[in-house]
Amino acid sequence: MTSTISAATLSVTVSESILINGYERGSSNSLTMGSILNVDMRTHTISTTEEDLLKFGTTASGGQYAKGSVRYCRITNKDDTNHCILVMKNTGNSSTNEIAVSLDTGQSFLVPVTNAGGTDATLQSAQTALSVAGGMTLDDLISITAVASTGTVMLEVFIASV
């Protein structure tokens, strides 16, 4: 079966704008990614019980993304009152060394992915201080869960893959 879907280029621009004492101190950075074939944009209502948000595996299937194909991933907290916690797990992970970050109201988190390998070799976690070096080997990001601080939050997820 031949596909009729053509690959496209995704353009992402992150910009800040602020005028302080008559001087513009903002910045803008742009990135383009070619050969994008799949885009998924969805919203999730997250409660105060930790729940799966994203899963990454060898192949894409049933809500799981192919970790080697992901080129861009953004999670935005669309709630105007409550923050949430994002928890990232990697292939070297045990339940005692996850990475958690707070995502406040209106804030976005850009998931670190590589241009050639997606979520492969993107993070490391440990119960003790890491020995960081230029050639250190990182593990593959395999899942992100989320939990609301209070009540519920609405998260928007945008993910693009080749």
mmCIF file of all heavy atoms in Angstrom, residues 122-158:
data_model
loop_
_atom_site.group_PDB
_atom_site.id
_atom_site.type_symbol
_atom_site.label_atom_id
_atom_site.label_comp_id
_atom_site.label_asym_id
_atom_site.label_seq_id
_atom_site.Cartn_x
_atom_site.Cartn_y
_atom_site.Cartn_z
ATOM 1 N N THR A 122 18.808 10.421 25.994
ATOM 2 C CA THR A 122 18.482 11.811 26.282
ATOM 3 C C THR A 122 18.534 12.195 27.758
ATOM 4 O O THR A 122 18.520 13.375 28.071
ATOM 5 C CB THR A 122 17.078 12.169 25.746
ATOM 6 O OG1 THR A 122 16.127 11.254 26.289
ATOM 7 C CG2 THR A 122 17.044 12.148 24.240
ATOM 8 N N LEU A 123 18.555 11.233 28.690
ATOM 9 C CA LEU A 123 18.605 11.626 30.088
ATOM 10 C C LEU A 123 19.200 10.540 30.957
ATOM 11 O O LEU A 123 19.318 9.397 30.565
ATOM 12 C CB LEU A 123 17.219 12.021 30.615
ATOM 13 C CG LEU A 123 16.178 10.926 30.741
ATOM 14 C CD1 LEU A 123 16.020 10.537 32.199
ATOM 15 C CD2 LEU A 123 14.843 11.427 30.227
ATOM 16 N N GLN A 124 19.572 10.945 32.157
ATOM 17 C CA GLN A 124 20.146 10.037 33.138
ATOM 18 C C GLN A 124 19.607 10.419 34.501
ATOM 19 O O GLN A 124 19.369 11.600 34.762
ATOM 20 C CB GLN A 124 21.672 10.133 33.126
ATOM 21 C CG GLN A 124 22.393 9.091 33.934
ATOM 22 C CD GLN A 124 22.142 7.684 33.448
ATOM 23 O OE1 GLN A 124 21.230 7.033 33.935
ATOM 24 N NE2 GLN A 124 22.903 7.229 32.471
ATOM 25 N N SER A 125 19.403 9.451 35.351
ATOM 26 C CA SER A 125 18.955 9.724 36.704
ATOM 27 C C SER A 125 19.693 8.800 37.669
ATOM 28 O O SER A 125 20.150 7.729 37.285
ATOM 29 C CB SER A 125 17.442 9.513 36.816
ATOM 30 O OG SER A 125 17.103 8.178 36.483
ATOM 31 N N ALA A 126 19.823 9.246 38.902
ATOM 32 C CA ALA A 126 20.496 8.455 39.922
ATOM 33 C C ALA A 126 20.105 8.974 41.286
ATOM 34 O O ALA A 126 19.633 10.098 41.425
ATOM 35 C CB ALA A 126 22.014 8.530 39.746
ATOM 36 N N GLN A 127 20.304 8.144 42.310
ATOM 37 C CA GLN A 127 20.022 8.563 43.670
ATOM 38 C C GLN A 127 21.166 9.399 44.243
ATOM 39 O O GLN A 127 21.007 10.036 45.267
ATOM 40 C CB GLN A 127 19.800 7.344 44.559
ATOM 41 C CG GLN A 127 18.484 6.651 44.287
ATOM 42 C CD GLN A 127 18.286 5.490 45.223
ATOM 43 O OE1 GLN A 127 18.991 4.498 45.120
ATOM 44 N NE2 GLN A 127 17.342 5.629 46.124
ATOM 45 N N THR A 128 22.298 9.374 43.592
ATOM 46 C CA THR A 128 23.453 10.135 44.040
ATOM 47 C C THR A 128 23.881 11.077 42.921
ATOM 48 O O THR A 128 23.380 10.994 41.803
ATOM 49 C CB THR A 128 24.622 9.192 44.386
ATOM 50 O OG1 THR A 128 24.951 8.424 43.226
ATOM 51 C CG2 THR A 128 24.252 8.254 45.527
ATOM 52 N N ALA A 129 24.826 11.945 43.230
ATOM 53 C CA ALA A 129 25.316 12.885 42.218
ATOM 54 C C ALA A 129 25.879 12.127 41.018
ATOM 55 O O ALA A 129 26.581 11.132 41.178
ATOM 56 C CB ALA A 129 26.386 13.786 42.816
ATOM 57 N N LEU A 130 25.551 12.607 39.838
ATOM 58 C CA LEU A 130 26.056 11.992 38.615
ATOM 59 C C LEU A 130 27.466 12.479 38.331
ATOM 60 O O LEU A 130 27.825 13.605 38.644
ATOM 61 C CB LEU A 130 25.150 12.352 37.428
ATOM 62 C CG LEU A 130 23.747 11.772 37.452
ATOM 63 C CD1 LEU A 130 22.893 12.414 36.370
ATOM 64 C CD2 LEU A 130 23.778 10.273 37.275
ATOM 65 N N SER A 131 28.255 11.636 37.723
ATOM 66 C CA SER A 131 29.584 12.003 37.281
ATOM 67 C C SER A 131 29.456 12.448 35.834
ATOM 68 O O SER A 131 29.504 11.644 34.915
ATOM 69 C CB SER A 131 30.490 10.785 37.381
ATOM 70 O OG SER A 131 31.740 11.115 37.827
ATOM 71 N N VAL A 132 29.229 13.724 35.630
ATOM 72 C CA VAL A 132 28.930 14.240 34.300
ATOM 73 C C VAL A 132 30.226 14.502 33.534
ATOM 74 O O VAL A 132 31.142 15.136 34.044
ATOM 75 C CB VAL A 132 28.092 15.531 34.396
ATOM 76 C CG1 VAL A 132 27.800 16.088 33.024
ATOM 77 C CG2 VAL A 132 26.796 15.252 35.148
ATOM 78 N N ALA A 133 30.264 14.014 32.300
ATOM 79 C CA ALA A 133 31.411 14.222 31.420
ATOM 80 C C ALA A 133 30.900 14.360 29.993
ATOM 81 O O ALA A 133 29.797 13.923 29.673
ATOM 82 C CB ALA A 133 32.381 13.044 31.531
ATOM 83 N N GLY A 134 31.706 14.961 29.144
ATOM 84 C CA GLY A 134 31.305 15.207 27.763
ATOM 85 C C GLY A 134 30.874 13.978 27.004
ATOM 86 O O GLY A 134 29.974 14.032 26.186
ATOM 87 N N GLY A 135 31.470 12.839 27.255
ATOM 88 C CA GLY A 135 31.136 11.624 26.514
ATOM 89 C C GLY A 135 30.261 10.669 27.290
ATOM 90 O O GLY A 135 30.164 9.504 26.938
ATOM 91 N N MET A 136 29.594 11.157 28.337
ATOM 92 C CA MET A 136 28.800 10.247 29.168
ATOM 93 C C MET A 136 27.649 9.638 28.379
ATOM 94 O O MET A 136 27.084 10.267 27.496
ATOM 95 C CB MET A 136 28.334 10.943 30.444
ATOM 96 C CG MET A 136 26.951 11.522 30.450
ATOM 97 S SD MET A 136 26.530 12.357 31.996
ATOM 98 C CE MET A 136 25.925 11.044 32.984
ATOM 99 N N THR A 137 27.318 8.404 28.694
ATOM 100 C CA THR A 137 26.229 7.697 28.036
ATOM 101 C C THR A 137 24.934 7.976 28.776
ATOM 102 O O THR A 137 24.855 7.806 29.993
ATOM 103 C CB THR A 137 26.516 6.182 28.027
ATOM 104 O OG1 THR A 137 27.747 5.966 27.343
ATOM 105 C CG2 THR A 137 25.402 5.429 27.331
ATOM 106 N N LEU A 138 23.929 8.397 28.041
ATOM 107 C CA LEU A 138 22.622 8.658 28.616
ATOM 108 C C LEU A 138 21.663 7.532 28.263
ATOM 109 O O LEU A 138 21.860 6.816 27.288
ATOM 110 C CB LEU A 138 22.075 9.998 28.094
ATOM 111 C CG LEU A 138 22.926 11.228 28.404
ATOM 112 C CD1 LEU A 138 22.335 12.460 27.744
ATOM 113 C CD2 LEU A 138 23.060 11.438 29.895
ATOM 114 N N ASP A 139 20.613 7.380 29.053
ATOM 115 C CA ASP A 139 19.607 6.360 28.803
ATOM 116 C C ASP A 139 18.485 6.919 27.939
ATOM 117 O O ASP A 139 18.374 8.126 27.734
ATOM 118 C CB ASP A 139 19.029 5.845 30.128
ATOM 119 C CG ASP A 139 20.037 5.004 30.899
ATOM 120 O OD1 ASP A 139 20.827 4.285 30.260
ATOM 121 O OD2 ASP A 139 20.024 5.067 32.145
ATOM 122 N N ASP A 140 17.620 6.020 27.466
ATOM 123 C CA ASP A 140 16.480 6.399 26.629
ATOM 124 C C ASP A 140 15.300 6.821 27.505
ATOM 125 O O ASP A 140 14.979 6.142 28.487
ATOM 126 C CB ASP A 140 16.030 5.224 25.767
ATOM 127 C CG ASP A 140 17.131 4.676 24.878
ATOM 128 O OD1 ASP A 140 18.180 5.331 24.739
ATOM 129 O OD2 ASP A 140 16.941 3.573 24.335
ATOM 130 N N LEU A 141 14.657 7.909 27.154
ATOM 131 C CA LEU A 141 13.421 8.316 27.812
ATOM 132 C C LEU A 141 12.328 7.346 27.374
ATOM 133 O O LEU A 141 12.104 7.162 26.179
ATOM 134 C CB LEU A 141 13.048 9.748 27.407
ATOM 135 C CG LEU A 141 11.709 10.277 27.890
ATOM 136 C CD1 LEU A 141 11.651 10.335 29.411
ATOM 137 C CD2 LEU A 141 11.451 11.653 27.295
ATOM 138 N N ILE A 142 11.651 6.694 28.342
ATOM 139 C CA ILE A 142 10.634 5.703 27.978
ATOM 140 C C ILE A 142 9.215 6.096 28.394
ATOM 141 O O ILE A 142 8.261 5.571 27.843
ATOM 142 C CB ILE A 142 10.970 4.301 28.528
ATOM 143 C CG1 ILE A 142 11.138 4.327 30.046
ATOM 144 C CG2 ILE A 142 12.203 3.748 27.824
ATOM 145 C CD1 ILE A 142 11.222 2.956 30.679
ATOM 146 N N SER A 143 9.080 7.034 29.353
ATOM 147 C CA SER A 143 7.724 7.458 29.706
ATOM 148 C C SER A 143 7.725 8.772 30.468
ATOM 149 O O SER A 143 8.721 9.152 31.086
ATOM 150 C CB SER A 143 6.993 6.392 30.528
ATOM 151 O OG SER A 143 7.499 6.348 31.842
ATOM 152 N N ILE A 144 6.593 9.460 30.380
ATOM 153 C CA ILE A 144 6.346 10.659 31.167
ATOM 154 C C ILE A 144 4.972 10.492 31.794
ATOM 155 O O ILE A 144 3.993 10.197 31.098
ATOM 156 C CB ILE A 144 6.382 11.939 30.311
ATOM 157 C CG1 ILE A 144 7.760 12.116 29.667
ATOM 158 C CG2 ILE A 144 6.028 13.164 31.162
ATOM 159 C CD1 ILE A 144 7.855 13.286 28.706
ATOM 160 N N THR A 145 4.920 10.641 33.110
ATOM 161 C CA THR A 145 3.647 10.630 33.813
ATOM 162 C C THR A 145 3.400 12.029 34.350
ATOM 163 O O THR A 145 4.300 12.868 34.367
ATOM 164 C CB THR A 145 3.640 9.603 34.968
ATOM 165 O OG1 THR A 145 4.678 9.943 35.894
ATOM 166 C CG2 THR A 145 3.849 8.189 34.446
ATOM 167 N N ALA A 146 2.171 12.279 34.784
ATOM 168 C CA ALA A 146 1.828 13.602 35.310
ATOM 169 C C ALA A 146 0.872 13.454 36.479
ATOM 170 O O ALA A 146 0.089 12.495 36.553
ATOM 171 C CB ALA A 146 1.199 14.459 34.212
ATOM 172 N N VAL A 147 0.936 14.429 37.387
ATOM 173 C CA VAL A 147 0.025 14.477 38.525
ATOM 174 C C VAL A 147 -0.242 15.944 38.858
ATOM 175 O O VAL A 147 0.674 16.762 38.852
ATOM 176 C CB VAL A 147 0.579 13.694 39.741
ATOM 177 C CG1 VAL A 147 1.903 14.270 40.214
ATOM 178 C CG2 VAL A 147 -0.431 13.628 40.875
ATOM 179 N N ALA A 148 -1.512 16.280 39.099
ATOM 180 C CA ALA A 148 -1.886 17.660 39.435
ATOM 181 C C ALA A 148 -1.594 17.926 40.907
ATOM 182 O O ALA A 148 -1.701 17.029 41.743
ATOM 183 C CB ALA A 148 -3.370 17.890 39.154
ATOM 184 N N SER A 149 -1.233 19.169 41.218
ATOM 185 C CA SER A 149 -0.962 19.536 42.609
ATOM 186 C C SER A 149 -2.247 19.560 43.423
ATOM 187 O O SER A 149 -2.292 19.104 44.552
ATOM 188 C CB SER A 149 -0.287 20.904 42.660
ATOM 189 O OG SER A 149 -1.155 21.891 42.122
ATOM 190 N N THR A 150 -3.298 20.089 42.841
ATOM 191 C CA THR A 150 -4.611 20.222 43.482
ATOM 192 C C THR A 150 -5.667 20.121 42.399
ATOM 193 O O THR A 150 -5.477 20.646 41.303
ATOM 194 C CB THR A 150 -4.736 21.610 44.156
ATOM 195 O OG1 THR A 150 -3.614 21.832 44.999
ATOM 196 C CG2 THR A 150 -5.996 21.715 44.981
ATOM 197 N N GLY A 151 -6.782 19.489 42.696
ATOM 198 C CA GLY A 151 -7.860 19.414 41.715
ATOM 199 C C GLY A 151 -7.414 18.719 40.452
ATOM 200 O O GLY A 151 -6.855 17.641 40.491
ATOM 201 N N THR A 152 -7.645 19.360 39.323
ATOM 202 C CA THR A 152 -7.217 18.821 38.034
ATOM 203 C C THR A 152 -6.530 19.920 37.235
ATOM 204 O O THR A 152 -6.720 21.103 37.503
ATOM 205 C CB THR A 152 -8.404 18.286 37.202
ATOM 206 O OG1 THR A 152 -9.312 19.358 36.956
ATOM 207 C CG2 THR A 152 -9.108 17.146 37.898
ATOM 208 N N VAL A 153 -5.722 19.523 36.279
ATOM 209 C CA VAL A 153 -5.122 20.460 35.329
ATOM 210 C C VAL A 153 -5.345 19.921 33.925
ATOM 211 O O VAL A 153 -5.488 18.725 33.721
ATOM 212 C CB VAL A 153 -3.601 20.690 35.559
ATOM 213 C CG1 VAL A 153 -3.331 21.316 36.895
ATOM 214 C CG2 VAL A 153 -2.812 19.416 35.393
ATOM 215 N N MET A 154 -5.375 20.834 32.968
ATOM 216 C CA MET A 154 -5.501 20.459 31.568
ATOM 217 C C MET A 154 -4.135 20.649 30.924
ATOM 218 O O MET A 154 -3.602 21.759 30.906
ATOM 219 C CB MET A 154 -6.544 21.327 30.868
ATOM 220 C CG MET A 154 -6.780 20.960 29.424
ATOM 221 S SD MET A 154 -7.559 19.362 29.183
ATOM 222 C CE MET A 154 -9.209 19.694 29.726
ATOM 223 N N LEU A 155 -3.566 19.568 30.411
ATOM 224 C CA LEU A 155 -2.278 19.630 29.735
ATOM 225 C C LEU A 155 -2.490 19.469 28.238
ATOM 226 O O LEU A 155 -3.276 18.631 27.795
ATOM 227 C CB LEU A 155 -1.340 18.526 30.223
ATOM 228 C CG LEU A 155 -0.927 18.554 31.688
ATOM 229 C CD1 LEU A 155 0.016 17.397 31.991
ATOM 230 C CD2 LEU A 155 -0.298 19.878 32.056
ATOM 231 N N GLU A 156 -1.769 20.285 27.461
ATOM 232 C CA GLU A 156 -1.767 20.149 26.008
ATOM 233 C C GLU A 156 -0.441 19.506 25.620
ATOM 234 O O GLU A 156 0.614 19.934 26.079
ATOM 235 C CB GLU A 156 -1.888 21.522 25.358
ATOM 236 C CG GLU A 156 -1.864 21.477 23.840
ATOM 237 C CD GLU A 156 -1.980 22.858 23.246
ATOM 238 O OE1 GLU A 156 -0.950 23.560 23.176
ATOM 239 O OE2 GLU A 156 -3.100 23.247 22.886
ATOM 240 N N VAL A 157 -0.524 18.468 24.792
ATOM 241 C CA VAL A 157 0.669 17.760 24.322
ATOM 242 C C VAL A 157 0.744 17.907 22.810
ATOM 243 O O VAL A 157 -0.239 17.677 22.104
ATOM 244 C CB VAL A 157 0.622 16.270 24.699
ATOM 245 C CG1 VAL A 157 1.808 15.514 24.096
ATOM 246 C CG2 VAL A 157 0.585 16.089 26.204
ATOM 247 N N PHE A 158 1.914 18.322 22.314
ATOM 248 C CA PHE A 158 2.174 18.400 20.878
ATOM 249 C C PHE A 158 3.421 17.557 20.628
ATOM 250 O O PHE A 158 4.477 17.804 21.235
ATOM 251 C CB PHE A 158 2.415 19.846 20.446
ATOM 252 C CG PHE A 158 2.618 20.005 18.960
ATOM 253 C CD1 PHE A 158 1.553 20.352 18.129
ATOM 254 C CD2 PHE A 158 3.856 19.797 18.377
ATOM 255 C CE1 PHE A 158 1.729 20.510 16.761
ATOM 256 C CE2 PHE A 158 4.051 19.941 17.018
ATOM 257 C CZ PHE A 158 2.983 20.293 16.206
#
